[in-house]
Amino acid sequence: MTTLGLIGLGRIGAFHAETLTNLPNVERLVVTDERPHVVAEVATKYGATPADSVADLLSAGVDGVVVAAATPAHAELALAAVDAGLPTFCEKPIASTAAESARVADIIARSGIPVQVGYQRRFDAAFAAVKQGVDAGTLGRLHTVRSTTMDPAPPPMDYIRGSGGIFRDCAVHDFDAIRWVTGQEVVEVYATGSVQGDPLFAEYGDVDTAVITVRFDGGALGVVSAARYNGRGYDCRLEVHGFDDTMVAGWDEGAPVLNGDPNTSFPTGQPHHFFMDRFTQAFRAELSAFVDVVGGAPIRGATVADAVEVAWIAEAATESLRRGVPVAIDTVKKEAQQ
Ligand SMILES: NC(=O)c1ccc[n+]([C@@H]2O[C@H](COP(=O)([O-])OP(=O)(O)OC[C@H]3O[C@@H](n4cnc5c(N)ncnc54)[C@H](O)[C@@H]3O)[C@@H](O)[C@H]2O)c1
């Protein structure tokens, strides 16, 4: 049986608290957050042990740590947990920028402490089936990949301000999925974006709608699109096209699309509302895999090395939007070293 610490109890942290307390191998959960009233609320609701600070949590006899605090705190909190010798699960992204992610990754690699990163699509049955199809060669040579993430409504604007922008915060899920599923590395991106909703997006140097074209090292091309306003629901889809076959993830009965074909009723279900209902099972499987990591098993989800590569793709997309030209991943890596 495992005792876990959970740092950060906002939208996803409170959700993870519920998931973690329902995992069979988690005996005790110790929770903390910068906001004491939230600590008290979550502790009471889930029967968790409250801790007054991160330092208190790290010395409360926990076997592993889940970092679900706001993005700007990830690097410091993940490194504090690793410094305490504790296997760590860190929500995406591992740090605010790619350069910082690479720095954190170096320290973590030297420590030898296992750190899993929160890219839950890897634990979704449909995404995993597409990966299996690609790996088994049934699609043949891949030519086109399309990946979409559309939120029904933006998170609070305070969150947006510290998020690092739509590529580092939202499209990173797509970047991780397309690398993982295709087994190919992204070599170049060309991003465009617009602000069509809250003008604060522009004030924060962000966009609420983005499209990124992607070139892979294996020759395949991709399109990633992300949007913060999608009234019909949470739309997360992956389509992988090969010379021999096509596979999709996210085309389930809850796909939030209204089919215009008069002879087709699909999809018939309640549209997915948000990432929490769409990926409930994936989050559970992901955190359950982390409990196994705490018990000594190898990481089955995204590693820190994966998260760093994803961060460079997000960096290149951010720069591509700013410069208005395609940007190679190697270019942003080299520029960061200068
Ligand atoms: N995997 C996913 O699909 C997914 C979905 C949503 C959010 N996230 C990630 O999870 C993180 C949190 O997102 P959210 O939507 O819950 O944000 P949120 O703003 O709702 O919550 C963040 C919480 O972190 C706390 N916090 C901030 N700094 C802290 C620190 N130094 N120590 C302790 N607590 C601290 C805040 O008080 C707040 O309660 C973000 O990094 C985000 O990228 C991942």
Side-chain angles (χ1 to χ4, degrees):
M1 291 299 265
T2 304
T3 295
L4 290 183
L6 170 62
I7 306 173
L9 304 171
R11 275 189 318 168
I12 200 155
F15 183 71
H16 283 344
E18 180 173 8
T19 305
L20 289 167
T21 46
N22 284 318
L23 288 180
N25 293 339
V26 176
E27 186 175 34
R28 193 165 72 94
L29 186 65
V30 184
V31 295
T32 196
D33 191 284
E34 274 185 343
R35 299 176 298 157
H37 71 279
V38 175
V39 179
E41 265 170 41
V42 171
T44 305
K45 189 164 180 191
Y46 299 112
T49 307
D52 288 340
S53 66
V54 171
D56 283 358
L57 178 141
L58 294 177
S59 55
V62 297
D63 305 307
V65 175
V66 173
V67 174
T71 295
H74 285 190
E76 189 187 335
L77 293 173
L79 289 180
V82 164
D83 196 43
L86 296 165
T88 301
F89 174 94
C90 184
E91 260 308 337
K92 48 57 63 173
I94 185 81
S96 293
T97 64
E100 176 73 346
S101 303
R103 186 187 72 83
V104 169
D106 278 349
I107 299 171
I108 292 172
R110 280 201 300 276
S111 75
I113 301 293
V115 177
Q116 183 183 334
V117 184
Y119 285 110
Q120 76 277 3
R121 289 180 199 184
R122 293 176 178 231
F123 292 89
D124 177 75
F127 278 78
V130 175
K131 178 171 173 54
Q132 265 175 19
V134 171
D135 287 353
T138 52
L139 279 71
R141 187 189 171 106
L142 305 184
H143 57 81
T144 304
V145 178
R146 283 198 288 262
S147 184
T148 299
T149 304
M150 299 196 195
D151 290 334
M157 293 314 285
D158 250 9
Y159 175 98
I160 292 293
R161 191 174 45 194
S163 72
I166 198 164
F167 306 111
R168 296 186 184 107
D169 181 62
C170 177
V172 283
H173 282 293
D174 301 87
F175 299 150
D176 181 64
I178 62 178
R179 275 187 82 236
W180 178 65
V181 167
T182 64
Q184 297 186 22
E185 290 296 345
V186 172
V187 291
E188 184 187 80
V189 295
Y190 191 5
T192 187
S194 64
V195 176
Q196 301 175 65
D198 194 324
L200 277 177
F201 277 101
E203 198 169 302
Y204 297 156
D206 200 356
V207 293
D208 57 41
T209 309
V211 175
I212 308 115
T213 61
V214 172
R215 192 173 279 279
F216 292 91
D217 62 357
L221 301 177
V223 180
V224 170
S225 75
R228 298 291 195 182
Y229 295 91
N230 193 58
R232 197 166 180 81
Y234 178 70
D235 196 349
C236 172
R237 279 181 275 153
L238 177 72
E239 304 169 8
V240 183
H241 304 270
F243 278 44
D244 299 337
D245 210 346
T246 285
M247 284 189 79
V248 300
W251 274 110
D252 52 67
E253 294 292 352
V257 293
L258 192 54
N259 197 332
D261 184 343
N263 301 311
T264 308
S265 55
F266 175 87
T268 53
Q270 189 66 24
H272 298 300
H273 176 61
F274 216 13
F275 61 85
M276 297 184 197
D277 61 274
R278 168 65 182 85
F279 287 118
T280 307
Q281 289 310 315
F283 282 123
R284 187 180 159 85
E286 176 183 60
L287 290 171
S288 181
F290 174 62
V291 174
D292 294 343
V293 170
V294 173
I299 293 173
R300 288 196 285 118
T303 62
V304 170
D306 290 320
V308 172
E309 286 311 314
V310 165
W312 285 119
I313 303 170
E315 204 73 26
T318 305
E319 281 307 304
S320 174
L321 176 66
R322 198 174 66 81
R323 300 176 192 181
V325 293
V327 172
I329 308 307
D330 276 351
T331 301
V332 283
K333 286 184 179 176
K334 278 187 199 128
E335 286 174 355
Q337 283 167 355
Q338 284 159 10

